């Protein structure tokens, strides 16, 4: 199943540059540095580091950041920007529905970058990553009310989900996958893992649970892809060099 939408090009760097132009130079600088929005950025800068450069406190930097984002929300209400944001929102929603309402952040961003044709363009890796960071900012701060970002959990990677998709679904799937892998006692291929899962009653019940979840449309969802999407969110399960999955603490998965 493919995500059905008009894959027109959106210049995420240009979109964000246009939005940032309404800010004061200091607000723009703080947002760009705090969120890694400069082309050459390798990482996000800390409040302390930026505060030191401006000779202000961490709280003052945080206030400048909040003020800047508030102005961006006002600017995002203009007609041209609304059209772009609406298209991005609809596309994010379609991908999430395909993958069971939940996608690990990098998985979502990579799919969107591919969908909008940026990874296939004659762009350097640095430029593609710049677009990716710009897109991440747009989703996190201008579409934040449309979706839910799950972060700060020890056993999960940063993840995006539909607001009404219950996180309990993810926890139940991961628990079942961990149990199957653990009982196998060694790394398994993805195909083996899915075959094992399909032999359990849990699989058929999961299909029903996902299909009836709020905001989910069963005809848009690929159950196996949804299960693998959930798997990507977990820190308990990792792939080895042979593309097999196992428990992260196994030496065959994470050599000491």
């Amino acid at each position: 199943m493919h995500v059905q939408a008009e894959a027109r090009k959106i210049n995420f760097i240009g979109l964000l540059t246009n939005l940032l132009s309404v800010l004061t130079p200091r607000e723009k600088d703080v947002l760009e540095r705090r969120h890694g929005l400069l082309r050459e950025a390798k990482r996000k800068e800390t409040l302390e580091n930026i505060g030191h450069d401006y000779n202000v406190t961490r709280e003052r930097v945080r206030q400048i950041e909040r003020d800047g984002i508030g102005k961006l929300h006002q600017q995002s209400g203009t007609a041209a920007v609304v059209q772009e944001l609406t298209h991005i929102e609809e596309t994010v929603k379609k991908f999430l529905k395909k993958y069971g309402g939940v996608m690990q952040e990098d998985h979502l961003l990579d799919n969107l970058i591919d969908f909008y044709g940026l990874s296939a363009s004659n762009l350097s890796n640095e430029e593609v990553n710049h677009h990716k960071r710009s897109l991440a900012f747009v989703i996190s701060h201008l579409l934040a009310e449309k979706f839910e970002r799950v972060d700060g959990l020890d056993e999960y990677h940063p993840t995006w989900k539909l607001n009404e998709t219950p996180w309990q679904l993810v926890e139940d799937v991961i628990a079942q996958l961990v149990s199957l892998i653990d009982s196998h006692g060694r790394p398994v291929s993805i195909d083996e893992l899915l075959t094992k899962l399909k032999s359990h009653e849990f699989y058929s019940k999961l299909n029903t649970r996902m299909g009836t979840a709020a905001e989910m449309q069963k005809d848009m969802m690929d159950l196996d892809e949804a299960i693998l999407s959930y798997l990507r969110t977990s820190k308990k399960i990792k792939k080895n060099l042979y593309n097999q999955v196992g428990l992260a603490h196994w030496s065959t998965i994470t050599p000491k």
Side-chain angles (χ1 to χ4, degrees), residues 135-165:
L135 172 58
F137 181 89
V138 168
I139 297 172
S140 297
H141 297 284
L142 301 181
L143 297 176
E145 295 179 358
K146 308 296 183 180
F147 310 102
E148 183 179 342
R149 188 173 189 266
V150 181
D151 197 5
L153 301 180
D154 290 341
E155 297 178 350
Y156 294 92
H157 298 289
T159 295
W160 284 96
K161 74 178 192 70
L162 294 171
N163 288 326
E164 301 304 320
T165 302

Side-chain angles (χ1 to χ4, degrees), residues 5 20 52 74-75 83 152 157 161 168 176 208 210 224:
L20 292 173
H52 179 268
Q74 294 175 354
Q75 178 70 2
Q83 184 179 10
H157 298 289
K161 74 178 192 70
Q168 188 64 46
Q176 188 69 26
T208 301
M210 285 188 173
D224 289 356

Side-chain angles (χ1 to χ4, degrees), residues 169-226:
L169 269 175
V170 180
E171 294 182 334
D172 290 349
V173 169
I174 296 303
Q176 188 69 26
L177 293 176
V178 167
S179 177
L180 288 173
I181 294 170
D182 193 32
S183 65
H184 196 69
R186 63 172 176 80
V188 294
S189 69
I190 292 294
D191 287 342
E192 284 181 284
L193 183 58
L194 286 175
T195 298
K196 283 178 174 293
L197 184 63
K198 289 175 183 179
S199 68
H200 286 253
E201 187 182 4
F202 177 87
Y203 184 84
S204 58
K205 288 185 176 179
L206 180 64
N207 195 23
T208 301
R209 286 177 69 188
M210 285 188 173
T212 57
E215 285 197 39
M216 199 63 61
Q217 296 175 24
K218 197 170 181 180
D219 61 332
M220 290 185 66
M221 186 188 67
D222 183 318
L223 181 58
D224 289 356
E225 288 288 358

Side-chain angles (χ1 to χ4, degrees), residues 26-43:
R26 184 160 69 166
E27 289 168 341
K28 181 173 180 289
D29 182 59
V30 167
L31 285 184
E32 286 176 335
R33 293 169 64 181
R34 281 287 291 143
H35 299 277
L37 299 177
L38 295 169
R39 173 174 173 167
E40 65 276 10
K42 301 298 181 185
R43 57 180 174 77

Side-chain angles (χ1 to χ4, degrees), residues 51-247:
H52 179 268
D53 289 350
Y54 281 105
N55 195 28
V56 297
T57 64
R58 293 167 70 253
E59 183 51 43
R60 179 60 185 137
V61 176
R62 191 180 281 113
Q63 180 63 51
I64 294 168
E65 182 181 13
R66 283 197 297 265
D67 290 346
I69 290 173
K71 287 184 181 179
L72 295 187
H73 275 286
Q74 294 175 354
Q75 178 70 2
S76 65
T78 61
V81 177
V82 166
Q83 184 179 10
E84 300 285 46
L85 292 181
T86 299
H87 193 279
I88 296 169
E89 177 190 342
E90 290 174 351
T91 306
V92 170
K93 194 168 290 186
K94 285 182 170 70
F95 271 108
L96 287 172
K97 287 182 176 181
K98 172 186 175 181
Y99 288 101
V102 175
M103 295 179 76
Q104 187 261 353
E105 187 166 64
D106 283 336
H107 183 213
L108 173 62
L109 293 173
D110 287 340
N111 270 273
L112 291 169
I113 290 295
D114 286 345
F115 177 79
Y116 284 110
L118 292 165
S119 57
S121 303
N122 294 320
L123 300 176
S124 66
N125 288 336
E126 184 181 59
E127 289 172 308
V128 171
N129 285 330
H130 191 189
H131 278 289
K132 187 174 172 179
R133 293 193 303 272
S134 299
L135 172 58
F137 181 89
V138 168
I139 297 172
S140 297
H141 297 284
L142 301 181
L143 297 176
E145 295 179 358
K146 308 296 183 180
F147 310 102
E148 183 179 342
R149 188 173 189 266
V150 181
D151 197 5
L153 301 180
D154 290 341
E155 297 178 350
Y156 294 92
H157 298 289
T159 295
W160 284 96
K161 74 178 192 70
L162 294 171
N163 288 326
E164 301 304 320
T165 302
W167 186 251
Q168 188 64 46
L169 269 175
V170 180
E171 294 182 334
D172 290 349
V173 169
I174 296 303
Q176 188 69 26
L177 293 176
V178 167
S179 177
L180 288 173
I181 294 170
D182 193 32
S183 65
H184 196 69
R186 63 172 176 80
V188 294
S189 69
I190 292 294
D191 287 342
E192 284 181 284
L193 183 58
L194 286 175
T195 298
K196 283 178 174 293
L197 184 63
K198 289 175 183 179
S199 68
H200 286 253
E201 187 182 4
F202 177 87
Y203 184 84
S204 58
K205 288 185 176 179
L206 180 64
N207 195 23
T208 301
R209 286 177 69 188
M210 285 188 173
T212 57
E215 285 197 39
M216 199 63 61
Q217 296 175 24
K218 197 170 181 180
D219 61 332
M220 290 185 66
M221 186 188 67
D222 183 318
L223 181 58
D224 289 356
E225 288 288 358
I227 291 167
L228 297 181
S229 183
Y230 288 16
L231 184 151
R232 286 184 177 93
T233 71
S234 177
K235 294 180 182 179
K236 289 184 176 181
I237 302 171
K238 290 178 64 176
K239 284 186 178 180
N240 63 13
L241 296 174
Y242 306 101
N243 211 31
Q244 299 170 311
V245 292
L247 301 186

